[in-house]
Amino acid sequence: MNVARVKFPLLRRSSRVVSPLVILIFAATAFELMVRLPYVAYVMNSATTGNAVRVHFFSVYDPVDVIFIGLSLLACAVMLMALIVLVMRPVYSVPSVGFDLPRISAGIYVIAAAVFLASFAAVLMVGSQALLEAFSSKRSELGERGLLWALLKVAVFMHLVCCLLYIRAVQTGRTFDKVLFWASLVTLCSTTLVFSQRAILISFVIEMIYIQLLLGTFRLRRIFLIGLLVAAVLVAVSALRPGVQFASIWEGLLFGAERIVYSRYFFDFAKLGTVFLWDSETTWLGPVSVGFLFEPFLGDRVIFYKEIGPIIASEAYLYRTENGITPGAYLEAILSFGVVGGVLFLSLAIASFLALEKRIITGCFQSIGKLLFLLLIVSKFSLFLNSSFGAFAFQLTLETVLLCLCLPLLARWSPKRVRGVAPIQST
């Protein structure tokens, strides 16, 4: 029986929920206008911040031009995204008692043990000396292959294992399952802290919001506690830099918060303006956004998504770094298709993500595998915005393979009815 067609009008109890993706988009925009913009304006007008800080935000370009162009590009994206929200109306009526999700079998213990061992082995292989010298680092020496690289890719899969353990803990109510969930969460945070994998934590928070909405266990207090732990890790990742020492914990926290403002996450308008000015003076880089699709066939004739970061760092900001400066999906699309094409590319992608999100929240899935696959796609939205379309596609493909290997250990499931509640419809 299809869940989406079963109705119980007399028993309908629901609450309205705004799309978590929409909240993320406008929270990122608010950060740019309310936090980064005042700080960048301060740097522009201050004579004491130093040349290194000015180059970080403006490179060699006029700060006024960088700010004006960056905010203009941000405004174009926000206005079109607002139009998409008005058309798609991503506000949903969610049943307070949730759906009958599939019972997660004890096979999840085997999966959790394997991922935990991979996490422990990855940290162990880094070595105590490397951890003492640079506790939270990008670990660029991992390269693209090797045992440590493979272990890390398995270790970060812990974010989905945490979600499955949470579902089982709710279903069984056993203390053991609850303890295992929190242990897996600590393992996830520890791994992301050591390897500076911020995007994984953001994906996990998004996944947990959807899981709790589906289970009918969504509580702001619970999300706040998980979010507080994740926020602490994010600040720590930003603060624990090689060669940096602090006189007190408070000084370390302030440094971590400042590094977050320095970071070039999501819609960084200073990065948008600086790289746009640089791009207007150079030759076309090609369709960078979709270059990974052609790279196996055209090789060096197209720019791979991992190459654009070092190019931006060396040519736009005039310094060399192993990892470079990731453009983010919006800037990457502008470099590929121009301003109009870039805005349209971003808008089409966001509309697609919202459509998939609706299928999750409204319970339009027929199996546990499809639910988890949809979660993987939608939770990678932050990676898409913050890194590149190619990075999103690569990580999704990798984790889909891992998911397929895990599914045989999880319970098979046929759709069940909502717990005495009408199907959810967008409002």
Side-chain angles (χ1 to χ4, degrees):
M1 183 178 294
N2 193 324
V3 176
R5 293 187 175 88
V6 180
K7 295 188 176 182
F8 302 86
L10 297 179
L11 299 177
R12 186 178 181 88
R13 294 177 56 202
S14 61
S15 56
R16 300 182 68 184
V17 175
V18 178
S19 159
L21 295 188
V22 171
I23 294 175
L24 176 62
I25 289 170
F26 287 101
T29 304
F31 176 84
E32 294 300 317
L33 298 178
M34 301 175 65
V35 179
R36 201 191 309 272
L37 178 57
Y39 189 84
V40 170
Y42 163 75
V43 170
M44 179 182 68
N45 296 311
S46 175
T48 61
T49 54
N51 187 60
V53 178
R54 293 178 67 85
V55 169
H56 176 87
F57 288 110
F58 312 119
S59 186
V60 296
Y61 302 101
D62 181 68
V64 175
D65 291 341
V66 169
I67 293 175
F68 175 76
I69 292 175
L71 291 178
S72 298
L73 293 174
L74 177 62
C76 291
V78 170
M79 286 189 292
L80 202 50
M81 286 187 293
L83 179 61
I84 291 173
V85 170
L86 290 175
V87 172
M88 299 188 69
R89 300 173 64 192
V91 180
Y92 309 100
S93 294
V94 179
S96 57
V97 293
F99 289 97
D100 278 332
L101 293 187
R103 175 168 286 275
I104 304 301
S105 72
I108 186 59
Y109 300 148
V110 178
I111 299 171
V115 178
F116 172 80
L117 289 175
S119 304
F120 180 76
V123 174
L124 197 63
M125 286 188 67
V126 171
S128 58
Q129 185 63 33
L131 291 177
L132 290 173
E133 292 176 356
F135 187 81
S136 181
S137 172
K138 287 292 185 182
R139 310 291 176 193
S140 57
E141 68 273 11
L142 293 179
E144 293 299 317
R145 291 172 178 79
L147 179 59
L148 181 53
W149 179 86
L151 288 173
L152 176 59
K153 296 307 177 183
V154 175
V156 297
F157 191 67
M158 182 64 82
H159 71 94
L160 193 62
V161 173
C162 284
C163 293
L164 292 170
L165 288 171
Y166 179 80
I167 295 175
R168 181 169 174 84
V170 172
Q171 291 172 338
T172 65
R174 294 170 55 192
T175 302
F176 174 77
D177 290 324
K178 295 176 183 178
V179 171
L180 193 58
F181 163 73
W182 284 104
S184 65
L185 179 56
V186 171
T187 302
L188 173 65
C189 291
S190 300
T191 305
T192 54
L193 182 60
V194 170
F195 293 96
S196 190
Q197 299 284 323
R198 303 175 183 87
I200 297 299
L201 286 180
I202 299 174
S203 295
F204 169 70
V205 172
I206 294 174
E207 288 165 344
M208 282 299 297
I209 291 174
Y210 292 131
I211 290 295
Q212 292 197 33
L213 289 174
L214 290 173
L215 290 171
T217 60
F218 182 83
R219 300 292 185 275
L220 283 177
R221 179 177 175 273
R222 186 179 293 113
I223 289 295
F224 175 78
L225 290 175
I226 295 175
L228 191 64
L229 177 61
V230 169
V233 175
L234 291 177
V235 172
V237 167
S238 300
L240 295 173
R241 299 294 180 180
V244 180
Q245 297 181 344
F246 308 106
S248 64
I249 295 178
W250 177 247
E251 183 181 345
L253 291 175
L254 288 178
F255 179 80
E258 185 179 38
R259 297 306 303 180
I260 291 177
V261 179
Y262 269 65
S263 66
R264 299 183 171 98
Y265 297 154
F266 299 113
F267 300 117
D268 179 6
F269 71 88
K271 180 175 67 175
L272 288 174
T274 298
V275 178
F276 183 86
L277 287 170
W278 163 76
D279 182 59
S280 64
E281 299 173 353
T282 189
T283 56
W284 184 50
L285 299 175
V288 181
S289 292
V290 293
F292 67 96
L293 296 175
F294 305 104
E295 195 268 345
F297 310 103
L298 299 179
D300 294 337
R301 285 178 286 178
V302 296
I303 295 178
F304 193 45
Y305 74 90
K306 288 195 173 184
E307 298 172 326
I308 186 61
I311 290 175
I312 291 175
S314 62
E315 297 187 17
Y317 288 91
L318 307 179
Y319 69 86
R320 294 187 179 277
T321 174
E322 183 73 20
N323 298 297
I325 298 172
T326 55
Y330 182 36
L331 178 56
E332 182 185 60
I334 291 175
L335 297 177
S336 301
F337 313 117
V339 175
V340 176
V343 172
L344 292 177
F345 179 87
L346 179 68
S347 302
L348 177 62
I350 289 177
S352 300
F353 275 108
L354 289 177
L356 294 175
E357 178 192 58
K358 180 179 179 181
R359 296 185 67 84
I360 294 175
I361 298 182
T362 57
C364 293
F365 41 83
Q366 290 75 43
S367 67
I368 182 63
K370 185 173 182 180
L371 168 60
L372 296 176
F373 180 62
L374 289 174
L375 277 176
L376 281 181
I377 297 176
V378 176
S379 68
K380 296 291 180 293
F381 180 68
S382 60
L383 178 64
F384 169 78
L385 283 184
N386 196 50
S387 186
S388 67
F389 185 42
F392 160 81
F394 172 78
Q395 191 65 27
L396 177 62
T397 301
L398 180 63
E399 295 195 0
T400 299
V401 172
L402 293 174
L403 174 62
C404 291
L405 294 175
C406 293
L407 282 179
L409 291 174
L410 301 175
R412 293 183 177 274
W413 179 56
S414 57
K416 296 181 181 180
R417 296 183 303 176
V418 181
R419 301 171 188 167
V421 183
I424 316 168
Q425 300 293 335
S426 60
T427 57

